[in-house]
């Protein structure tokens, strides 16, 4: 018997079908962020990151051009099995002759068509999109949609509108809706004198942006945050603000698991929102002491997030995206590690006897529930994962060898 066949039998003793789990896993799309490859810099003029987020490290090989970023994505994605989408920020516009002439309030679909061609070429499932409200001179005093300066606020509203228009085309291009996530860094370092008015301005700006969009192809979402670097005391787009806004406007909430107080868990928020929303979007990341956006590892909270998605039959409702940026290690390896861990966590969740566990809970059989959950932790998940990799013709545990070769041949030559 192979290692996988033994695993299949062991899981079967718990009533779990590994074949069904593998089939299901292959169907769950992961939206992979383009910004791990270039430290969130983009191509539209910025040369540093702002907005209370930070990439640390200076590992050689950062992608500096569209060609380089495509090359790196191609390599990384070839080492990630399953269905993949690409998550783009507006700052990754391919402006060509429009460079210096067209600003973010004037971007159109044509500036992203080269990305569509690329995504199709490498067989992706679609593209998700994000307006970029940072890394730009029109951020006034660190504010965008909540700015008291009407010209500034309007500029960013127009940017938001353009992004929804672009997203509709992106959705159509793949025949799948495009998630448009709105995150703004707006906030204050120190105790504000007025917490309400900036939120009222943000509300007005969002209303203006969302006045008109293509409901068939676009899923708008709002992403809250508790604090940013230099924005420790107040963020305009807080959790309560956005959750209420999303509920009233019938749009989507995006939960980034680096954006809450350390003892608040996104795994617990997912089912809370599923009780009210048809869709919930995620930014899966790993915060170490703060929203540090470390590479996603196979950790307890990641498994818990995956369990909530799977056991609530919400693989179509929870839109899984990744959001981290580490510049201290090989960036291609960072992509691969995080994406594979997300998938591994989903597989872990798919290999739980979820109905049986629920029945134990309902029957108040908490001793057995604890016992079974503990036993499940040491079943041979790795054997099933290796089987998945081999069936999807993806490199196994030695994938890093390929990245090292790529580093020697390509990345190390960039300077
Ligand atoms: C920032 C948010 C936001 C960004 C990306 C680049 O804290 O998480 O989602 O990381 O949009
Ligand atoms: Zn995020």
């Amino acid at each position: 018997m192979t290692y996988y066949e033994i695993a299949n039998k062991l899981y079967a003793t718990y009533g779990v079908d590994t074949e069904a789990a593998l089939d299901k896993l292959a169907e769950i799309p992961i939206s992979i962020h383009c910004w791990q490859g270039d430290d969130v810099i983009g191509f539209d003029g910025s040369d540093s990151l702002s907005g209370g987020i930070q990439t640390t490290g200076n590992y050689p090989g950062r992608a500096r051009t569209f060609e380089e970023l495509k090359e790196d994505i191609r390599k990384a994605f070839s080492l990630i099995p399953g269905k993949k989408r690409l998550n783009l920020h507006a700052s990754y516009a391919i402006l060509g002759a429009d460079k210096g002439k067209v600003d973010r309030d004037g971007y159109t679909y044509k500036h992203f068509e080269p990305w569509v061609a690329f995504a199709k070429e490498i067989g992706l499932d679609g593209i998700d999109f994000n307006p970029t409200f940072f890394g730009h001179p029109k951020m006034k005093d660190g504010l965008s949609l909540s700015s008291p300066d009407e010209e500034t606020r309007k500029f960013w509203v127009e940017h938001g509108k353009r992004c929804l228009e672009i997203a509709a085309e992106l959705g159509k291009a793949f025949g799948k809706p495009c998630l448009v996530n709105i995150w703004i860094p707006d906030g204050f370092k120190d105790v504000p004198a007025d917490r309400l008015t900036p939120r009222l301005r943000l509300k007005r700006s969002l209303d203006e942006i969302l006045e008109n969009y293509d409901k068939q192809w676009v899923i708008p979402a709002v992403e809250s945050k508790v604090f940013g670097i230099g924005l420790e005391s107040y963020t305009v787009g807080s959790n309560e603000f956005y959750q209420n806004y999303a509920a009233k406007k019938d749009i989507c909430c995006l939960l980034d698991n680096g954006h809450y107080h350390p003892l608040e868990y996104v795994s617990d928020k997912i089912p809370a929102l599923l009780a009210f929303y048809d869709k919930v979007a995620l930014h899966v990341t790993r915060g170490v002491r703060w929203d540090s956006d470390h590479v996603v590892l196979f950790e307890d909270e990641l498994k818990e997030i995956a369990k909530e998605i799977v056991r609530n039959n919400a693989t179509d409702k929870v839109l899984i995206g990744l959001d981290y940026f580490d510049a201290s290690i090989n960036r291609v390896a960072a992509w691969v590690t995080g994406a594979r861990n997300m998938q591994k966590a989903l597989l872990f969740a798919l290999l739980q006897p979820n109905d049986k566990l629920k029945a134990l809970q309902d029957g108040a059989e908490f001793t057995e529930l604890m016992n079974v959950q503990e036993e499940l932790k040491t079943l041979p998940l790795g054997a099933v994962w290796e089987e998945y990799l081999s069936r999807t013709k993806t490199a196994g545990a030695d994938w890093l060898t390929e990245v090292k070769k790529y580093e020697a041949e390509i990345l190390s030559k960039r300077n």
Side-chain angles (χ1 to χ4, degrees):
M1 261 204 279
T2 64
Y3 193 18
Y4 171 70
E5 283 161 355
I6 296 168
N8 174 276
K9 294 233 171 331
L10 274 170
Y11 277 105
T13 63
Y14 289 85
V16 172
D17 178 0
T18 60
E19 286 295 314
L22 290 177
D23 289 346
K24 185 85 194 177
L25 182 61
E27 286 307 305
I28 307 175
I30 309 288
S31 191
I32 303 173
H33 53 315
C34 73
W35 53 90
Q36 164 59 56
D38 77 328
D39 308 344
V40 212
I41 300 297
F43 303 140
D44 69 347
S46 161
D47 53 13
S48 65
L49 192 50
S50 64
I53 52 178
Q54 203 165 50
T55 311
T56 54
N58 54 2
Y59 201 84
R62 185 183 86 81
R64 298 151 304 178
T65 62
F66 181 40
E67 291 311 315
E68 288 179 353
L69 189 56
K70 279 195 295 185
E71 199 175 16
D72 294 354
I73 290 175
R74 203 187 297 262
K75 178 84 270 171
F77 283 31
S78 76
L79 299 168
I80 301 166
K83 261 196 195 170
K84 294 172 282 287
R85 300 171 60 82
L86 180 64
N87 202 359
L88 281 185
H89 248 281
S91 52
Y92 291 81
I94 310 304
L95 294 170
D98 285 340
K99 193 148 199 165
K101 294 190 200 136
V102 179
D103 209 341
R104 286 189 191 166
D105 58 342
Y107 290 178
T108 61
Y109 178 60
K110 88 166 185 227
H111 301 120
F112 296 90
E113 273 180 320
W115 279 113
V116 173
F118 170 66
K120 290 198 167 169
E121 185 198 316
I122 62 168
L124 301 185
D125 200 46
I127 292 184
D128 294 309
F129 201 57
N130 306 260
T132 313
F133 298 102
F134 56 84
H136 191 280
K138 288 250 162 67
M139 298 291 295
K140 195 163 186 289
D141 306 318
L143 304 177
S144 61
L145 294 177
S146 74
S147 174
D149 177 66
E150 193 54 13
E151 197 190 315
T152 300
R153 196 188 67 81
K154 274 265 146 56
F155 173 85
W156 291 109
V157 165
E158 288 307 310
H159 176 54
K161 284 176 182 267
R162 292 303 84 71
C163 288
L164 290 175
E165 290 158 11
I166 293 161
E169 299 308 311
L170 292 171
K172 282 180 214 159
F174 293 90
K176 306 256 167 73
C178 171
L179 177 74
V180 177
N181 177 50
I182 297 177
W183 170 72
I184 61 166
D186 300 29
F188 297 113
K189 180 184 173 81
D190 232 314
V191 188
D194 178 2
R195 294 171 192 268
L196 176 59
T197 319
R199 290 188 174 135
L200 294 176
R201 282 193 295 263
L202 172 57
K203 187 167 167 233
R204 194 165 123 225
S205 298
L206 293 170
D207 286 348
E208 288 168 17
I209 292 172
L210 294 163
E211 208 166 71
N212 186 14
Y213 68 92
D214 189 331
K215 298 215 163 56
Q216 186 181 359
W217 298 112
V218 179
I219 304 174
V222 281
E223 177 184 13
S224 74
K225 187 165 178 176
V226 67
F227 85 98
I229 300 176
L231 308 159
E232 289 85 358
S233 298
Y234 168 86
T235 55
V236 185
S238 63
N239 181 49
E240 292 74 13
F241 175 87
Y242 277 138
Q243 245 174 56
N244 282 290
Y245 188 83
K248 292 222 161 166
K249 293 292 275 196
D250 198 20
I251 62 166
C252 184
C253 282
L254 184 142
L255 310 175
D256 180 314
N257 61 311
H259 288 194
Y260 298 88
H261 292 283
L263 290 176
E264 276 188 274
Y265 292 108
V266 160
S267 54
D268 188 60
K269 296 178 190 295
I270 293 169
L273 291 191
L274 284 174
F276 295 95
Y277 291 84
D278 176 49
K279 295 236 176 325
V280 177
L282 298 183
H283 268 180
V284 181
T285 186
R286 180 168 57 101
V288 178
R289 308 200 187 278
W290 63 286
D291 178 38
S292 58
D293 289 293
H294 280 64
V295 175
V296 170
L297 299 182
F298 189 64
E299 293 191 319
D300 285 351
E301 172 60 358
L302 183 70
K303 285 184 249 181
E304 219 48 44
I305 287 173
K307 276 154 77 177
E308 290 302 332
I309 299 170
V310 168
R311 66 191 176 193
N312 296 313
N313 294 320
T315 53
D316 294 334
K317 294 180 173 185
V318 179
L319 310 173
I320 306 170
L322 306 177
D323 179 18
Y324 54 83
F325 20 99
D326 191 339
S328 75
I329 58 172
N330 180 304
R331 294 172 185 78
V332 173
W335 257 319
V336 178
T337 303
R340 283 167 74 127
N341 279 330
M342 183 71 240
Q343 294 171 328
K344 219 182 280 171
L346 287 165
L347 180 61
F348 177 82
L350 287 161
L351 292 171
Q352 303 279 308
N354 290 310
D355 292 340
K356 184 177 165 180
L357 297 174
K358 275 186 203 175
L360 289 174
Q361 176 175 318
D362 289 345
E365 308 222 40
F366 297 119
T367 312
E368 191 175 342
L369 178 58
M370 180 188 282
N371 169 268
V372 178
Q373 293 195 105
E374 286 305 293
E375 291 301 326
L376 287 163
K377 287 182 182 170
T378 49
L379 288 192
L381 168 73
V384 187
W385 172 248
E386 286 297 326
E387 179 69 12
Y388 181 61
L389 295 173
S390 109
R391 287 188 194 181
T392 53
K393 299 187 174 45
T394 316
D398 60 345
W399 63 265
L400 189 60
T401 315
E402 246 188 80
V403 176
K404 282 186 177 161
K405 187 164 165 261
Y406 184 75
E407 175 169 330
E409 287 168 5
I410 312 282
L411 299 176
S412 66
K413 311 244 153 79
R414 294 179 190 161
N415 46 42

